[in-house]
C-alpha cells in the first residue's frame, strides 16, 4: 500500500525534483540513475504526473542533478574525508550516487520531511539526518569534522529572504575552517515573474529571493569568492539540443544557475 502524504507550500516542492530524477532514471539512455527516486514515487500516494506536464521544469531539475552530482564528486575526489551538508535535502539521495566509502553526509530538513525520508530511504552509518530548519544554526554543532566542508543548497535559496541567505552563509563561514558552497541561484527576473513557473502554479510555494548574476552572490556574502558558474541552460541542451539552443539567448539570463563559492581564508 502506498503511503499517503499531506504536504503543502515549500515542503511540497521537494516532490518535483524527485519525480524528474525518476523520469530520467527510467529512460533507456539516462544521464544518471537514481534508484531511490524511483522507489519514492512508487511508494508515495501523490499525483506526481501533474508536475511532469512541464518538460522545461523536468529538464531543469534533471540538469541541476547532473551538475550537482559532477561537482560533488569532484570535491570528494579532492577531499576524500570531507563532511557534506545537504541543506533542505527533501527526498534527495545523492549520497548513494557519489559515496566514496569515507565521507560523512548530513541531511537537514524539517521533521515532517525526515519522517517520510526515514520510511523510504535506507539508513547508513555515515549519513546523519537532522530534523531542523537550516536557519536554526544548532545543526552546525552536529557536524563532527569541520575541517573540509561542502555545503549544498539545491532548490532552497529562492524560498528564503535576502537577509536570511546572508545570515546563513555568514554563520557557515565562521563555523567551518575550509568551506565550499554549491548553491542553486534563481534569477531576479524569475522571482518577479514567478506566476509563470510550473512549480508555483502547482503548489502554494512563493519565491522570495533572486540574483542578477552569479557573481552578485559575493557582494551579498563577501566572505566567499566565486570559483564556478554553471547555467542550467547548457546542460538542458542534452534533452532537446535544437530547441534549447534556439531559445538559449533568452533563456540563459532567466534560468537558474549553480554557483560554486569558496570561503576566503
Amino acid at each position: 500500500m502506498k503511503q499517503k502524504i499531506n504536504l503543502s507550500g515549500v515542503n511540497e516542492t521537494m516532490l518535483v525534483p524527485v519525480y524528474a530524477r525518476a523520469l530520467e532514471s527510467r529512460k533507456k539512455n539516462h544521464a544518471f540513475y537514481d534508484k531511490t527516486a524511483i522507489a519514492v514515487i512508487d511508494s508515495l500516494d501523490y499525483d506526481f504526473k501533474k508536475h511532469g506536464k512541464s518538460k522545461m521544469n523536468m529538464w531543469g531539475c534533471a540538469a541541476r542533478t547532473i551538475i550537482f552530482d559532477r561537482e560533488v564528486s569532484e570535491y570528494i575526489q579532492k577531499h576524500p574525508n570531507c563532511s557534506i551538508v545537504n541543506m533542505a535535502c527533501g527526498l534527495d539521495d545523492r549520497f548513494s550516487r557519489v559515496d566514496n566509502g569515507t565521507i560523512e553526509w548530513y541531511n537537514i530538513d524539517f521533521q515532517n520531511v525526515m519522517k517520510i525520508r526515514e520510511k523510504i530511504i535506507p539508513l547508513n552509518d555515515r549519513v546523519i539526518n537532522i530534523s531542523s530548519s537550516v536557519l536554526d544554526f544548532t545543526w552546525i554543532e552536529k557536524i563532527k569534522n569541520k575541517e573540509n566542508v561542502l555545503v549544498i543548497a539545491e532548490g532552497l535559496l529562492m524560498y528564503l529572504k535576502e537577509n536570511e541567505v546572508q545570515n546563513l552563509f555568514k554563520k557557515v563561514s565562521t563555523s567551518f575552517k575550509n568551506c565550499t558552497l554549491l548553491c542553486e541561484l534563481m534569477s531576479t527576473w524569475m522571482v518577479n515573474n514567478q506566476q509563470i513557473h510550473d512549480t508555483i502554479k502547482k503548489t502554494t510555494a512563493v519565491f522570495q529571493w533572486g540574483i542578477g548574476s552569479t557573481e552578485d552572490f559575493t557582494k551579498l556574502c563577501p566572505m566567499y569568492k566565486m570559483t564556478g558558474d554553471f547555467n542550467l541552460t547548457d546542460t538542458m541542451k542534452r534533452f532537446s539540443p535544437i530547441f534549447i539552443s534556439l531559445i538559449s539567448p533568452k533563456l540563459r539570463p532567466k534560468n537558474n544557475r549553480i554557483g560554486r563559492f569558496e570561503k576566503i581564508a
Side-chain angles (χ1 to χ4, degrees), residues 40-225:
V40 167
I41 67 169
D42 286 345
S43 61
L44 294 182
D45 184 1
Y46 178 81
D47 182 17
F48 285 98
K49 290 184 179 180
K50 69 180 183 179
H51 298 298
K53 294 178 182 179
S54 171
K55 288 186 177 180
M56 290 289 286
N57 203 15
M58 294 296 98
W59 293 342
C61 288
R64 79 183 192 188
T65 298
I66 294 169
I67 297 169
F68 271 108
D69 280 6
R70 181 193 69 216
E71 293 301 308
V72 173
S73 295
E74 289 184 4
Y75 183 87
I76 292 172
Q77 288 178 3
K78 295 177 182 177
H79 309 283
N81 298 304
C82 65
S83 295
I84 298 181
V85 179
N86 192 12
M87 293 181 169
C89 61
L91 297 176
D92 173 71
D93 187 28
R94 179 164 288 112
F95 171 82
S96 68
R97 299 195 299 275
V98 303
D99 180 37
N100 67 344
T102 58
I103 60 173
E104 292 181 353
W105 191 282
Y106 297 84
N107 291 314
I108 304 173
D109 216 318
F110 294 108
Q111 187 175 38
N112 62 332
V113 174
M114 285 303 179
K115 286 182 177 179
I116 298 172
R117 273 192 73 93
E118 293 177 353
K119 288 181 180 179
I120 301 174
I121 302 176
L123 299 177
N124 184 288
D125 290 341
R126 287 178 291 106
V127 177
I128 297 90
N129 292 329
I130 303 173
S131 297
S132 172
S133 163
V134 297
L135 301 177
D136 178 1
F137 300 139
T138 55
W139 62 263
I140 293 175
E141 301 168 6
K142 300 179 181 180
I143 311 300
K144 297 177 183 178
N145 177 11
K146 295 180 170 64
E147 181 68 23
N148 290 302
V149 179
L150 173 65
V151 175
I152 300 171
E154 178 181 5
L156 166 65
L157 302 184
M158 62 284 292
Y159 300 111
L160 301 182
K161 297 176 182 177
E162 183 174 85
N163 68 304
E164 292 174 331
V165 175
Q166 187 176 45
N167 292 337
L168 171 60
F169 290 113
K170 181 178 180 181
K171 181 65 176 178
V172 166
S173 72
T174 60
S175 301
F176 304 122
K177 183 177 180 180
N178 301 303
C179 181
T180 298
L181 313 178
L182 285 174
C183 298
E184 181 182 11
L185 302 170
M186 178 169 281
S187 69
T188 304
W189 184 92
M190 182 53 71
V191 174
N192 293 337
N193 295 273
Q194 60 184 277
Q195 70 279 359
I196 69 172
H197 198 288
D198 192 67
T199 296
I200 298 302
K201 291 179 182 178
K202 303 293 174 56
T203 70
T204 57
V206 177
F207 297 146
Q208 300 199 73
W209 177 71
I211 202 163
S213 69
T214 309
E215 185 70 43
D216 287 344
F217 179 87
T218 61
K219 298 176 183 177
L220 183 67
C221 301
M223 65 288 297
Y224 299 95
K225 62 180 179 180

Side-chain angles (χ1 to χ4, degrees), residues 1 12 23 32 89 103 140 146 155 174 205 242 262:
M1 181 180 294
E12 187 179 3
L23 288 180
F32 54 83
C89 61
I103 60 173
I140 293 175
K146 295 180 170 64
T174 60
I242 297 176
E262 291 184 10

Side-chain angles (χ1 to χ4, degrees), residues 26-37:
R26 281 178 163 155
K27 292 180 182 178
K28 184 177 180 180
N29 297 314
H30 46 255
F32 54 83
Y33 185 74
D34 188 340
K35 63 180 181 180
T36 301

